[in-house]
Amino acid sequence: MTETQPSPSTPVDAPSPGLIVILRARFPMASRIIERIVLGVGLLFASSILIFAGIEILPGDFATTYLGQAATPQAIANLRAEFGLDQSLVTRYFDWLLGILHGDFGHSWASGQSVSGQIADRLGNSLLLAGTAAVIAVPLAVGLGLIAVLYRDRLVDRLINLVSLAAVSLPEFFVAYLLIMVFVVQHPVAAFPATVYDSMSLWQKLQTIVLPVATLVLVVLAHMMRMTRAAIINVMASAYMETAELKGIGALRAIVKHAAPNALAPIINVVALNLAYLIVGVVVVEVVFVYPGMGQYMVDAVTVRDLPVVQGCGLVFSAIYILLNMIADILSILVNPRLRHPR
């Protein structure tokens, strides 16, 4: 007995597209932005798990460090119970996470002060340091990148690339100590240590943080400049840029009016990455210059295993890094037609 084959003219029921597929087709830009935000939230949650677990597995114990080696086992057990260290790892993580969702990072085990309040005070100092460096480094890097492209393969371009390559090769602590030796020891024209107070005016703070700002600018400037140059050169190789040159458009006008706008997406990404580094990478610079920021606060807490402080600082650094990268991705979607309307 033969099976009846469906007629070619018989309509076959196709599966209806899902709601997500329809939304992606009708609102491609909005859907990509929402996906990036959801991914950022997921990354932040994963970072909280890694930070909490990573700090927990570190060798040593706060109770033993705080009480000293001569402490009795009963005293250590009492202190661990006071700070909840006798509870399970999962219980302590969710208690910590629930407190963060309510804006409470707990209290410092060493000083008893609110971690949220201390982070708020120190974060302002770190943002002042990183923000000042960004205001100087970003336009300078983009400008030098444009100049390097304008004088491509000439003496100016080679000098800029040589200096930037040397700057990229030097770690920030070496740059910091070099600046201290030159502008504090040999020619005392800058302040050291770079300690700021709430009673100081903005101008006094800016004068005090000249050396740490210069260190951060030198560290991030070269990378942003080289990536800006590479992005614009990549666009210059496009067919429409060759057409513009054949029409007699000047090199400067072609770079500024046509090449630079089309290279915004990679430039935004590299600027965001370096801005994130300015926030997260200030730890070494703050320690070298004794600057009262988040980095110094975190290092001081690590020395005594003050876990609430270390976990709070680590989560804030992760949140800032993820937020800046998420903003960079969203801006790339907004400025790039190929990302706004994916095929």
Side-chain angles (χ1 to χ4, degrees):
M1 184 175 183
T2 59
E3 295 181 0
T4 304
Q5 299 293 333
S7 172
S9 60
T10 303
V12 180
D13 293 335
S16 58
L19 179 61
I20 296 179
V21 177
I22 295 175
L23 291 176
R24 284 179 177 176
R26 295 191 61 181
F27 308 101
M29 184 176 66
S31 63
R32 290 178 69 90
I33 292 175
I34 293 174
E35 288 175 0
R36 188 60 187 86
I37 294 174
V38 172
L39 178 60
V41 174
L43 286 174
L44 184 58
F45 177 71
S47 298
S48 69
I49 297 176
L50 292 175
I51 290 170
F52 190 88
I55 294 175
E56 287 291 332
I57 64 178
L58 290 175
D61 180 73
F62 171 78
T64 304
T65 304
Y66 185 77
L67 296 176
Q69 296 294 331
T72 63
Q74 184 61 43
I76 294 176
N78 292 338
L79 189 61
R80 288 179 59 85
E82 180 182 350
F83 292 119
L85 293 174
D86 56 341
Q87 300 178 2
S88 66
L89 181 65
V90 176
T91 301
R92 285 187 286 125
Y93 169 73
F94 282 105
D95 289 342
W96 176 65
L97 185 62
L98 184 62
I100 290 174
L101 294 177
H102 289 85
D104 182 16
F105 284 86
H107 288 77
S108 168
W109 292 347
S111 64
Q113 297 179 344
S114 171
V115 177
S116 303
Q118 290 292 307
I119 287 179
D121 295 338
R122 300 294 188 110
L123 183 60
N125 292 336
S126 293
L127 290 178
L128 173 65
L129 183 61
T132 306
V135 169
I136 299 173
V138 172
L140 187 59
V142 175
L144 288 176
L146 292 175
I147 293 174
V149 174
L150 185 62
Y151 296 96
R152 184 180 176 185
D153 296 330
R154 300 181 189 176
L155 180 60
V156 175
D157 181 30
R158 292 174 181 174
L159 286 176
I160 292 176
N161 277 283
L162 180 63
V163 174
S164 64
L165 185 60
V168 168
S169 305
L170 298 176
E172 57 266 32
F173 69 87
F174 181 81
V175 176
Y177 285 124
L178 188 63
L179 292 178
I180 291 173
M181 183 182 69
V182 174
F183 296 105
V184 175
V185 178
Q186 296 179 351
H187 307 283
V189 295
F192 182 83
T195 304
V196 297
Y197 306 96
D198 293 337
S199 58
M200 298 172 65
S201 65
L202 178 60
W203 177 245
Q204 290 175 324
K205 291 182 179 180
L206 293 177
Q207 288 179 313
T208 304
I209 63 175
V210 167
L211 288 185
V213 166
T215 302
L216 291 174
V217 168
L218 290 174
V219 170
V220 301
L221 176 64
H223 185 232
M224 285 192 292
M225 188 282 298
R226 291 174 66 86
M227 292 301 296
T228 300
R229 177 183 180 276
I232 296 177
I233 288 177
N234 185 51
V235 174
M236 293 287 289
S238 303
Y240 67 88
M241 290 302 301
E242 295 179 358
T243 303
E245 292 178 0
L246 292 175
K247 289 183 177 180
I249 297 179
L252 179 60
R253 182 183 176 187
I255 293 173
V256 174
K257 188 175 181 180
H258 299 285
N262 288 282
L264 276 179
I267 292 175
I268 288 174
N269 281 322
V270 71
V271 168
L273 285 173
N274 282 274
L275 291 180
Y277 173 80
L278 284 176
I279 299 294
V280 180
V282 294
V283 176
V284 175
V285 176
E286 288 183 358
V287 171
V288 172
F289 289 99
V290 200
Y291 184 76
M294 284 278 292
Q296 183 69 54
Y297 184 46
M298 185 175 179
V299 170
D300 292 341
V302 169
T303 57
V304 295
R305 286 190 58 83
D306 195 345
L307 298 189
V309 175
V310 179
Q311 291 166 350
C313 292
L315 188 62
V316 170
F317 282 141
S318 297
I320 293 174
Y321 194 90
I322 292 172
L323 177 63
L324 288 174
N325 280 275
M326 183 174 64
I327 292 174
D329 289 343
I330 292 174
L331 290 177
S332 297
I333 294 172
L334 295 176
V335 303
N336 194 330
R338 290 174 295 182
L339 295 178
R340 291 202 305 265
H341 307 285
R343 295 179 179 177

